């Protein structure tokens, strides 16, 4: 009798739960409705996903605060809810959830986007209007395996947290130079403080779990049947599938207390710019020391009194202060106003610079060949390219000095040393494939950060930004950096393995679903 009563109660409970679930699905289905073809397709995918995964994982705008938190989680305010309201957000907790999401998206011919770290300077690349947003906020596990000397990362982790988690083992992944940047950096190749000795960040893949556009799961390695996909995801971006687990080589960088680096942030007056630019060009071409790391930032900040320029160099050396002084002698001979130089751990490096959230940001890029310091006759024109790039940056600041829509601008040069290029090829190569034997080069970023409350780039400012893109010098035959370029720049076409990328894309996405339904780099 007791067992019968229990069965009756269970049946009643099941009926109640099913009814409540159906009500939740029907209620959310109402919120999915819209008239556009894209919205109708997304609504169908969202309803299918709620039936499969439940209303706590698949949420619409009417679901509550978790939806709004995710819709506003992107680093750039231009990708926030004020501009983009995903039809639903799928808070995936496993690879199986991602497979289910992609099957529904594919079957309904719906638009979608993926948000891992959310740190993109491209508007609409980590969010979507009238589409499905897959959020990795619940997939952020990271672990170190001492037996294989590898690090496993889920895509929702950022580099600061990943490096902190594995710090007790004295290791780190080859990851971003900014702590709050996420794993999406890997898909663009990735530049790291470890790159001079380890290659691009993506060169350190061991294996990738990848969900293809139709929901199929594959594991790609350098030596299995998906070796072509493995290489394509070393810089090819998000077009080829969704990576749900990265296993990468661990680099032994010591514990936080070991302080194996020397260096810090050096601040220079604006009057040092003309001396610094040749030094930056020389460093990229001439430096063969894999222990030396440089990043340079020319910054203009808007204030009530006008535009305030400052130059900031991050200079680090894996070794002694004496070796630091030798490697960066040309920079140290140029007058600077302050320095934080001292002993540092690798974790200190990762946390040294951070980009705050909350304002709109747009990126654009160029690339300039390094310049040999020992042949001034042939290098004048190349040095002039650096000077012209800086002049155009200054002209932008002067032109818009009275604008209330800009908070700051940034011109950054990141060296890609010859050692990095060589190591990249030694590790199997990647999609970027810069030329060998020509010396290193500098990836150039021009970034505009807009004022708080500005939700879209004002048209007149955008005209000035496009003028910089169209007129700034660029060395032919060198690759742009996908993570620091404008959404409309033809980054993939600048790669040495562009034709290879096109062939691999045609193999894995013959209907070109991802090109038609998710934002990403052009050219496929």
């Amino acid at each position: 009798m007791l067992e019968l009563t229990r069965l009756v109660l269970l049946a009643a409970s099941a009926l109640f739960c099913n009814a409540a679930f159906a009500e939740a699905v029907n209620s959310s289905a109402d919120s999915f409705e819209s008239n556009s073809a894209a919205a109708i397709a997304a609504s169908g995918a969202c309803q299918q996903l709620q039936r499969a995964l439940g209303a706590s994982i698949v949420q619409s705008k009417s679901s509550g605060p978790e939806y709004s938190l995710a819709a506003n989680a992107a680093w750039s305010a231009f990708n926030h809810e004020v501009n983009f309201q995903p039809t639903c957000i799928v808070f995936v907790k496993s690879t199986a959830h991602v497979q289910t999401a992609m099957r529904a998206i594919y079957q309904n011919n719906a638009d979608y986007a993926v948000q891992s770290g959310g740190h993109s300077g491209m508007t609409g690349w980590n969010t979507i209007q009238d589409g499905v947003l897959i959020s990795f906020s619940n997939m952020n596990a990271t672990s170190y395996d001492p037996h294989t000397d590898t690090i496993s990362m889920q895509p929702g982790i950022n580099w600061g947290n990943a490096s902190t988690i594995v710090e007790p083992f004295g290791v780190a992944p080859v990851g971003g130079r900014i702590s709050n940047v996420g794993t999406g950096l890997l898909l663009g190749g990735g530049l790291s403080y470890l790159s001079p000795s380890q290659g691009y960040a993506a060169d350190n893949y061991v294996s990738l779990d990848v969900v293809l556009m139709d929901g199929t799961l594959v594991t790609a390695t350098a030596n299995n049947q998906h070796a072509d996909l493995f290489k394509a995801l070393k810089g090819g971006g998000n077009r080829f599938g969704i990576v749900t687990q990265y296993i990468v080589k661990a680099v032994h960088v010591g514990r936080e207390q070991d302080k194996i680096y020397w260096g810090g942030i050096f601040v220079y007056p604006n009057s040092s710019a003309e001396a610094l630019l040749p030094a930056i060009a020389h460093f990229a071409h001439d430096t063969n020391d894999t222990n030396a790391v440089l990043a340079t930032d020319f910054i203009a900040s808007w204030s009530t009194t006008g535009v305030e320029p400052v130059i900031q160099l991050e200079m680090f050396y894996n070794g002694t202060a004496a070796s630091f002084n030798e490697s960066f002698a040309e920079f140290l001979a140029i007058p600077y106003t302050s320095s934080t130089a001292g002993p540092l751990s690798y974790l200190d490096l990762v946390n040294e610079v951070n980009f705050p959230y909350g304002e709109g940001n747009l990126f654009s890029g160029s690339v300039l060949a390094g310049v040999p310091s020992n042949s001034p006759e042939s290098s004048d024109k190349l040095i002039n390219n650096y000077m012209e790039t800086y002049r155009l940056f200054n002209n932008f600041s002067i032109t818009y000095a009275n604008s209330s829509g800009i908070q700051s601008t940034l011109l950054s040069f990141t060296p890609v040393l010859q050692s990095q290029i060589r190591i990249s090829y030694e590790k199997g190569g990647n999609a970027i494939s810069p030329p060998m034997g020509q010396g290193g080069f500098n990836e150039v970023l021009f970034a505009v950060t807009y004022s708080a409350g500005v939700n879209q780039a004002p048209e007149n400012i955008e005209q000035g930004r496009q003028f910089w893109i169209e007129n700034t010098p660029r060395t032919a035959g060198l690759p742009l950096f996908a993570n620091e370029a404008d959404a409309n720049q033809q980054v993939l076409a600048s790669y040495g393995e562009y034709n290879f990328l096109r062939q691999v894309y045609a193999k894995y996405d013959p209907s070109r679903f991802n090109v038609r339904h998710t934002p990403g780099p052009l050219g496929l």
Side-chain angles (χ1 to χ4, degrees):
M1 185 67 174
L2 287 173
E3 185 62 24
L4 178 60
T5 303
R6 179 172 174 272
L7 289 171
V8 170
L9 288 172
L10 285 171
S13 175
L15 285 170
F16 175 79
C17 289
N18 287 338
F21 177 75
E23 183 178 351
V25 169
N26 290 335
S27 173
S28 295
D30 290 340
S31 67
F32 296 148
E33 290 179 3
S34 183
N35 293 325
S36 74
I40 291 169
S43 176
C46 291
Q47 292 177 51
Q48 181 177 330
L49 284 168
Q50 269 201 344
R51 289 192 294 269
L53 299 176
S56 64
I57 291 176
V58 183
Q59 298 189 20
S60 68
K61 190 172 183 179
S62 62
S63 298
E66 191 174 6
Y67 172 97
S68 289
L69 284 172
N72 292 290
W75 168 68
S76 172
F78 291 172
N79 287 329
H80 286 182
E81 192 174 4
V82 65
N83 293 325
F84 297 92
Q85 301 89 39
T87 306
C88 66
I89 301 177
V90 187
F91 293 93
V92 294
K93 296 182 179 180
S94 68
T95 294
H97 286 171
V98 181
Q99 289 183 266
T100 300
M102 284 310 303
R103 279 194 291 266
I105 289 166
Y106 187 72
Q107 290 165 7
N108 286 275
N109 217 31
D111 294 342
Y112 76 99
V114 177
Q115 187 178 106
S116 50
H119 198 285
S120 174
M122 294 75 162
T123 300
W125 279 32
N126 52 25
T127 187
I128 195 79
Q129 178 67 36
D130 294 332
V132 180
L133 177 62
I134 298 173
S135 169
F136 277 112
S137 58
N138 293 323
M139 288 182 67
N140 51 23
T142 297
S143 62
Y144 171 63
D145 184 343
H147 300 293
T148 59
D149 202 23
T150 59
I151 297 168
S152 173
M153 299 181 297
Q154 291 183 323
I157 196 76
N158 65 35
W159 295 111
N161 290 336
S163 299
T164 299
I165 289 169
V166 299
E167 181 275 336
F169 303 98
V171 300
V174 181
R177 297 161 293 165
I178 308 296
S179 63
N180 59 354
V181 170
T183 58
L185 168 137
L186 293 166
L187 299 178
L191 296 175
S192 169
Y193 289 135
L194 296 170
S195 284
S197 63
Q198 303 297 326
Y200 286 90
D203 289 324
N204 296 279
Y205 291 160
V206 174
S207 73
L208 305 170
D209 287 347
V210 188
V211 176
L212 304 179
M213 69 288 174
D214 61 356
T216 302
L217 173 65
V218 302
T219 297
T221 73
N223 300 309
N224 71 3
Q225 67 269 37
H226 302 297
D228 52 356
L229 178 62
F230 182 78
K231 182 177 179 179
L233 288 166
K234 294 181 179 184
N238 66 337
R239 295 297 198 194
F240 298 85
I242 301 173
V243 179
T244 61
Q245 179 177 250
Y246 299 88
I247 297 179
V248 300
K249 297 172 184 175
V251 180
H252 291 257
V253 295
R255 296 290 310 279
E256 185 172 11
Q257 63 265 29
D258 293 335
K259 310 296 183 185
I260 65 173
Y261 285 85
W262 181 272
I265 296 175
F266 288 70
V267 177
Y268 289 79
N270 205 43
S271 57
S272 293
E274 289 194 11
L276 283 169
L277 289 164
I280 292 166
H282 297 157
F283 185 89
H285 185 278
D286 294 346
T287 301
N288 292 309
D289 191 338
T290 60
N291 293 311
V293 182
L294 171 70
T296 63
D297 302 319
F298 295 77
I299 303 166
S301 299
W302 271 241
S303 70
T304 54
T305 58
V307 177
E308 299 174 359
V310 66
I311 305 170
Q312 176 178 297
L313 270 63
E314 296 90 51
M315 296 189 288
F316 307 113
Y317 193 88
N318 185 354
T320 65
S323 296
F324 172 90
N325 291 337
E326 181 180 353
S327 190
F328 293 103
E330 188 172 1
F331 295 99
L332 297 175
I334 300 168
Y336 56 90
T337 55
S338 66
S339 160
T340 64
L344 297 163
S345 68
Y346 179 72
L347 195 59
D348 292 332
L349 267 63
V350 174
N351 292 319
E352 190 82 359
V353 179
N354 213 333
F355 287 163
Y357 279 74
E359 282 75 48
N361 289 271
L362 289 175
F363 289 172
S364 49
S366 185
V367 58
L368 293 174
V371 180
S373 58
N374 58 1
S375 56
E377 301 84 6
S378 62
S379 66
D380 284 348
K381 182 178 180 181
L382 295 175
I383 291 293
N384 286 341
N385 286 338
Y386 284 80
M387 296 295 187
E388 178 65 7
T389 300
Y390 176 68
R391 186 189 70 80
L392 288 168
F393 168 75
N394 268 345
N395 282 356
F396 181 95
S397 301
I398 293 168
T399 300
Y400 298 103
N402 296 320
S403 172
S404 61
I406 300 176
Q407 182 184 101
S408 63
T409 55
L410 168 69
L411 180 67
S412 176
F413 297 89
T414 301
V416 176
L417 303 183
Q418 186 67 30
S419 64
Q420 175 178 334
I421 300 169
R422 173 179 52 78
I423 291 165
S424 175
Y425 282 103
E426 290 173 356
K427 290 184 175 181
N430 57 43
I432 304 166
S433 294
M436 280 285 292
Q438 299 180 16
F441 56 90
N442 277 295
E443 296 287 7
V444 183
L445 165 67
F446 173 48
V448 180
T449 299
Y450 296 80
S451 303
V454 176
N455 298 318
Q456 294 182 352
E459 185 177 350
N460 65 321
I461 297 175
E462 179 60 13
Q463 288 173 350
R465 200 178 69 86
Q466 291 299 324
F467 182 87
W468 186 93
I469 294 173
E470 292 165 6
N471 290 278
T472 197
R474 176 179 159 191
T475 303
L478 293 177
L480 293 168
F481 183 33
N483 297 341
E484 297 180 352
D486 182 79
N488 292 314
Q489 289 186 280
Q490 293 284 350
V491 174
L492 301 184
S494 72
Y495 285 4
E497 290 281 19
Y498 178 47
N499 288 333
F500 165 80
L501 275 183
R502 296 177 69 183
Q503 292 166 7
V504 176
Y505 181 70
K507 173 183 172 181
Y508 285 91
D509 188 4
S511 68
R512 305 182 77 249
F513 182 86
N514 279 340
V515 165
R516 293 184 290 112
H517 290 287
T518 194
L522 304 177
L524 296 176

